[in-house]
Each structure stands twice: as C-alpha cells, then as structure tokens.
C-alpha cells in the first residue's frame, strides 16, 4: 500500500523554518508510529521535490509563505489553486509550485495533495522564528494529526 | 529573403532559465550588429569583502554561500588554497573523498542544467514542464540522476544546499560504511542511465555553429581534472594557479556587475566543453568509446556541444565516485591538524561551469587580509558576448525578432551562466 508522505519544507533562516517546526510538532504527536506515514524535513529541495513525492497515496506539504497576511495565518491550497502554475524561470527560483507543476506534467502527482502555507514575517539567517510562526506550526500540527486520525483511525 | 537591410532593437529584460538575473540588449542597424550587451544587473554581493578578517576555519562555510548550485566548488577551492599555504598534506582518504564530494556536485548541476534549463530550447519548449510532457522518461531520468548527485553531496556535506562538511585539513566527519554501501549501489544502478543520457543527448539536433576560441581548463597528468591540476589552454599554456594573474586579466564593464576576463587580451571559454576539448584523452576507455559512438569529434568548435559534454561528465563523475568508494574504509581521523601561516594562498578547481580561481592573503593568525575570487561565469562573459555576435551572424540577422531573441537566449543558456556567482563589487566613482 502506498504511503502518506508529509514534507516540511524550509531552511535554517528565521521564519523559513515554519514547515520544519510543523513537522517537529507533528512528530511530537506520535503520528509517525502509524503504518505508511512518512515524515521528512526538506531543506530547499528545488526540483528534487518532484522525485520525493513519487509513489505517495497522499502528499501533505507545509511551507512558509509571504502573501501579505497576518504573520501566523495558515492557508490551505487545493490542486485548483496551482494547477495552471508554470513559471520555470530558473533553478534559483525553482520552488514548490514548479515542482508540483513538473510532477503534474510527468503524471506522477499523488492522488491526494494538501499544500499548507504559514504566513511568515522574514527569513533572516541567524534569527530564531517568530513566536506567531511557532504557534501556527503547533496549530497546524494538531490539525494534521486530527486529519490523519480521521482518515485512518489508529484504533 | 528580402535584400532590405533592416534596423531592429531587441531587449530581453530578464533572461529565463539561467542562475540569477541578467538581461540582453541587441541593436541591429542597417543589417549589422551595432550594440550587443549581456547585462548582469544582479546586485553586487561583496563576498570578498565579507571574508576579510575572518578566520581560516570559517572560510569553507562562508564561501559555500556564494552559490546554491556549486557550493562544493567554492569550498574545495578555498580549502585547496589554504592547505597549500599552510603546508597541509591531506590524508589519501580525504584527498579521494574531496573528489567524490565534487563528483556529486557535477552530477547534480549538470543534470539540472541539461534537463531543466538547456534541453527545452532544443525541443521548442518554453520550460522543463513543457519538455516533461513530450519526453517524460528522459526528464524523470534526469531528475533521478540529479537527486543522486544531491545525495552524494549530502553524504559528505550533511546537506546538499550550502553543505558544511569540508574543513581545512579534510572533512568534519566520515560517512558510515553502511551509507557508503548504499551509495555504491545507487551509483552502480545509475551507470546505464547515464550511458543512455549520453546517447539521448547526442541525438538532439544542435545548430551547426563553427567558431574559433581558446579553451581553458585544469589539466592533470593522470586524472580528468576536477579538483586538482595545472591551468591549461588550447594554445599550449600550462601554468600553476599562482601564475593566473600573469596570463589572465579582469576588467569592469559599465553594463555588468560581473567582471569580464581575458586571456592574452582575448575572450576564452571555460566549462564542460573546454574541459572535454583539453582532457578527452583522460577519459576512461568506456566513455571514450561512447563518445566515438556518438559521433562527437573533439576538439569541438561548436558551443552547442556543451550539452553532450555535460552528459559525458555526468557518466565520468558517477564512475569516478564509484571507483573511489569501492574500497572505502573509515579513516582514523577525517582531518589532519592545521597550523596557519602568513602568506598568499591560491587555488583552482573545475566548478561545474568551469575554472574557479581563489586567492587569499592571510596573516599569521590565520585571518584573511584580502580575498579575490574569479568564478567561471565572469570568465565566460566576454566569450558569451563574442559567441552571440558570431552565432547571430551565422544564424542570420534577417530572422524575425522573436526568432533572434530565442536564438540569443539559447546561446546564453548553453553556457549555464551562474550570474549570482559572478556578481562582484563594482568600483564607485563619486564626482562632486
């Protein structure tokens, strides 16, 4: 049976750790003990994200975003939100949406994909994440743990 | 075709599918190129200034931040320069693993460039996403090879983006035997894929574009030069890294934050095709046979053969990494102690995009007094402009503007310019 893959995307720079913090909080709930749940932190994966999502039944991606909202806001994006995306400007700018668009073109998208963005203030090297980002990561982890429990109850 | 000699101005405000930000201005007056400028306007990055006053132990991690695609090249070049100045003799283990680490970078960078940046041009695609629709198996294969390169970098660098494994005197740690065993299996599995990649690359129709240019690359008596060797040119030059300034010069041009380099006053080529032109006799027999089968005659004067050259170097890097890991043993220590000394340190290696040269003046405490870094893209910049001129004349200036623009972009992307690496501090003149 194909796994559920949960990927926290980020870098060590300040609030850009939002995806990693969520994954850490999720690991604290014990969901990784379930069968078929694979949880990873990825450091600026670029195009290699495309290969990381292969063979998953359900893909959950968590990344930092800057969309002009309040810091700590969580947004969920469905497939309809990014299916038409296809900039492909450069490998320096090869982000999550490029990787999803490339996987889509290759026919290797998992059947279910949930993309979560956590609104951040700044991604400054050497600075710790903002408390509002930490709280959002905890909130999102609780939400994901509940979703996983609902989709595949542990008892 | 009309006999009318037309005038046209083409501006490509942002070059797509290159590393960093640049632009191109082309002006044709009465059927002749009157202006052609590859503008690099990415902001200056002051890296050499940042290094001043820093302790030698910090240098490998700092220079790794110069580029997200080729950090290993910067780390290994800096380490080579400083180790030579400090009189450090690397252990045979560390020397071999530096080359393996570097192979990882060649594999990931070359595969990324072939499949995501360059190949779409030759299939009439705007980007890799379009290419993936018509050549999905090839793109998948490219992504697998790239991921393997990243994994090799991660093995010795703890991560593939801005790795932190190198220290002056060797490495901070040594990978376990089980991780090396797993890597050997993956490398072995990738060999047929890389051979298939060469065959595929050789069948991609390339423009015929014969140009005369000087190739410059490292050359080593035994190896296909990657992390060591003297600086060689196709006109017979062979010098040590410390003699670089006697033969090569850098200059500012007002339209670029990258410096322009010249050799004996002329542009020159660095990168995979320059390496292949100079060092194809150093390739293992199996790869030489594949090259012969592909029909690529060397030395090549067609820059579009750079794509095949990258494919060849991927196979070479896979073979080299496998060879050097075949009898892997855990070392007593992955590094040797270092005692700094004052003086001038120079180092030179082959980054994926070509020759990378570093020079550091160090004080007796082991701190940087000043630093100079000459990356491959700034060495290629004058050659790119020269190539654009010649290539456009070969292509024909009477083509529609869109066709001219696409051709120019294709020529530029072919060099895999890393604009972020090449941007330097620009001199500031203030008049009052």
């Amino acid at each position: 049976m194909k796994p559920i893959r949960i990927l926290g995307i980020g870098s060590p720079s300040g609030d850009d750790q939002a995806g990693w913090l969520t994954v850490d909080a999720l690991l604290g709930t014990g969901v990784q003990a379930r069968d078929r749940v694979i949880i990873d932190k990825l450091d600026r994966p670029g195009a290699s994200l495309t290969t990381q999502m292969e063979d998953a039944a359900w893909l959950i991606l968590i990344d930092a975003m800057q969309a002009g909202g309040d810091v700590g806001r969580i947004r969920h994006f469905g497939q309809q939100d990014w299916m038409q995306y296809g900039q492909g400007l450069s490998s320096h700018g090869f982000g999550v949406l490029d990787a999803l668009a490339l996987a889509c073109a290759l026919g290797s998208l998992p059947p279910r994909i949930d993309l979560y963005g956590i609104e951040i203030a700044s991604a400054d090297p050497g600075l710790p994440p903002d408390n509002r980002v930490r709280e959002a990561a905890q909130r999102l982890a609780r939400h994901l743990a509940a979703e996983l429990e609902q989709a595949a109850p542990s008892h | 075709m009309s006999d009318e000699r037309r005038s046209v101005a083409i501006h490509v405000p942002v070059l797509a599918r290159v590393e960093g930000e640049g632009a191109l201005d082309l002006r044709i007056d009465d059927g002749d190129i009157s202006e052609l400028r590859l503008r690099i306007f990415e902001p200056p990055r002051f890296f050499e200034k940042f290094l001043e006053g820093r302790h030698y132990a910090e240098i490998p991690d700092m220079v790794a931040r110069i580029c997200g695609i080729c950090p290993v090249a910067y780390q290994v070049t800096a380490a080579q320069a400083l180790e030579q100045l400090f009189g450090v003799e690397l252990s045979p283990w560390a020397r071999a693993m530096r080359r393996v680490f570097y192979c990882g970078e060649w594999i990931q960078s070359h595969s990324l460039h072939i499949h995501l940046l360059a190949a779409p041009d030759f299939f009439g695609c705007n980007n890799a996403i379009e290419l993936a629709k018509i050549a999905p198996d090839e793109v998948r294969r490219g992504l697998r090879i790239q991921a393997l390169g990243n994994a090799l970098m991660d093995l010795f660098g703890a991560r593939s983006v801005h790795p932190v494994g190198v220290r002056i005197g060797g490495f901070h740690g040594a990978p376990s035997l089980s991780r090396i065993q797993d890597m050997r299996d993956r490398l072995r599995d990738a060999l047929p894929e890389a051979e298939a990649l060469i065959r595929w690359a050789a069948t991609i129709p390339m423009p015929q574009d014969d140009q005369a240019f000087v190739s410059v690359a490292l050359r080593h008596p035994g190896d296909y030069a990657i992390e060591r060797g003297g600086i060689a040119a196709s006109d017979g030059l062979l010098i040590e890294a410390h003699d670089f300034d006697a033969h090569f010069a850098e200059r500012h041009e007002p339209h670029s934050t990258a410096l322009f380099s010249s050799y004996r006053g002329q542009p020159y080529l660095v990168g995979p095709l320059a390496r292949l032109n100079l060092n194809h006799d150093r390739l293992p027999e199996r790869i030489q046979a594949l090259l012969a089968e592909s029909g690529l005659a060397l030395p090549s004067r067609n820059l579009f053969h750079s794509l095949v050259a990258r494919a060849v170097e991927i196979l070479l890097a896979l073979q080299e990494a496998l060879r050097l890991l075949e009898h892997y043993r855990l070392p007593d220590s992955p590094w040797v102690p270092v005692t700094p000394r004052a003086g001038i340190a120079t180092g030179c290696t082959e980054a994926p995009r070509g020759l990378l040269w570093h020079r550091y003046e160090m004080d007796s405490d082991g701190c940087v007094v000043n630093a100079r870094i000459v990356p491959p893209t700034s060495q290629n910049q004058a050659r790119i402009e020269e190539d654009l001129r010649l290539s456009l004349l070969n292509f024909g200036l009477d083509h529609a503007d869109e066709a001219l623009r696409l051709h120019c972009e294709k020529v530029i992307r072919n060099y895999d310019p890393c604009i972020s690496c090449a941007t330097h501090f620009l001199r500031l003149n203030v008049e009052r």
Side-chain angles (χ1 to χ4, degrees), chain B residues 254-267:
Chain B
H255 60 279
S256 175
T257 51
L259 294 172
F260 279 62
S261 297
S262 58
Y263 166 60
R264 294 179 177 166
Q266 296 298 315

Side-chain angles (χ1 to χ4, degrees), chain B residues 17-296:
Chain B
R17 282 188 277 129
V18 296
E19 317 290 358
E21 293 171 6
L24 177 70
D25 296 330
L26 169 67
R27 183 165 191 87
I28 299 169
D29 284 316
D30 296 328
D32 278 325
I33 297 171
S34 58
E35 181 192 353
L36 191 155
R37 294 187 308 171
L38 174 62
R39 280 193 293 124
I40 289 184
F41 51 74
E42 182 147 319
R45 300 173 70 210
F46 308 107
F47 251 102
E48 289 141 321
K49 277 286 176 195
F50 292 158
L51 293 169
E52 290 180 8
R54 295 290 186 164
H55 191 254
Y56 73 85
E58 297 179 278
I59 304 307
D61 290 345
M62 288 189 73
V63 296
R65 265 67 172 187
I66 292 175
C67 184
I69 306 294
C70 53
V72 174
Y74 284 89
Q75 291 187 309
V76 173
T77 309
Q80 182 208 81
L82 295 172
E83 283 157 0
Q84 195 172 30
L85 172 65
F86 299 161
V88 174
E89 183 66 32
L90 286 185
S91 69
W93 178 90
R95 202 177 308 119
M97 294 312 117
R98 286 264 175 92
R99 186 169 170 89
V100 173
F101 190 35
Y102 218 128
C103 283
E105 182 161 283
W106 273 27
I107 294 164
Q108 68 83 16
S109 177
H110 282 354
S111 193
L112 184 151
H113 184 259
I114 288 173
H115 300 92
L116 299 188
L117 307 183
D121 279 330
F122 303 106
F123 289 85
C125 299
N126 287 310
N127 53 45
I129 293 161
E130 287 182 20
L131 179 65
K133 290 174 184 164
I134 58 172
D137 293 340
E138 288 79 5
V139 172
R140 267 195 212 97
R141 181 180 62 206
L143 290 171
R144 280 195 299 274
I145 292 173
Q146 190 204 347
L148 179 55
N150 279 329
L152 198 47
M153 290 167 72
D154 180 76
L155 191 61
F156 289 93
R159 61 192 191 201
S160 61
V161 179
H162 306 318
V164 290
V166 169
R167 62 180 286 163
I168 307 303
F171 284 88
H172 286 289
S176 67
L177 290 170
S178 63
R179 292 188 73 199
I180 294 292
Q181 177 59 52
D182 176 59
M183 177 53 69
R184 279 199 299 252
D185 293 344
R186 292 181 66 184
L187 289 166
R188 218 171 273 118
D189 291 347
L191 292 175
E193 296 219 292
E195 292 195 3
L197 168 59
I198 294 175
R199 291 194 185 94
W200 176 67
T203 62
I204 298 173
M206 294 289 165
Q208 294 304 307
D209 199 6
D210 187 57
Q211 297 184 14
F213 53 83
V214 172
S215 296
V216 173
L218 287 192
R219 183 161 171 83
H220 185 268
D223 298 331
Y224 189 90
I226 299 177
E227 82 295 358
R228 60 179 179 169
I231 300 170
S234 50
D235 64 0
L237 179 83
L238 184 58
I239 57 167
E240 295 299 318
H242 57 78
D243 286 332
F244 181 83
D245 275 332
H247 301 270
F248 297 86
E250 287 189 292
R251 67 180 191 280
H252 289 284
E253 291 284 344
H255 60 279
S256 175
T257 51
L259 294 172
F260 279 62
S261 297
S262 58
Y263 166 60
R264 294 179 177 166
Q266 296 298 315
Y268 61 98
L269 175 75
V270 298
L273 189 63
R275 288 192 290 256
L276 206 57
N277 278 344
L278 288 172
N279 295 324
H280 58 92
D281 60 332
R282 297 285 188 265
L283 290 169
E285 274 180 28
R286 172 71 189 149
I287 303 180
Q288 296 215 27
L290 273 167
L291 259 177
E293 188 188 305
S294 77
L296 178 64

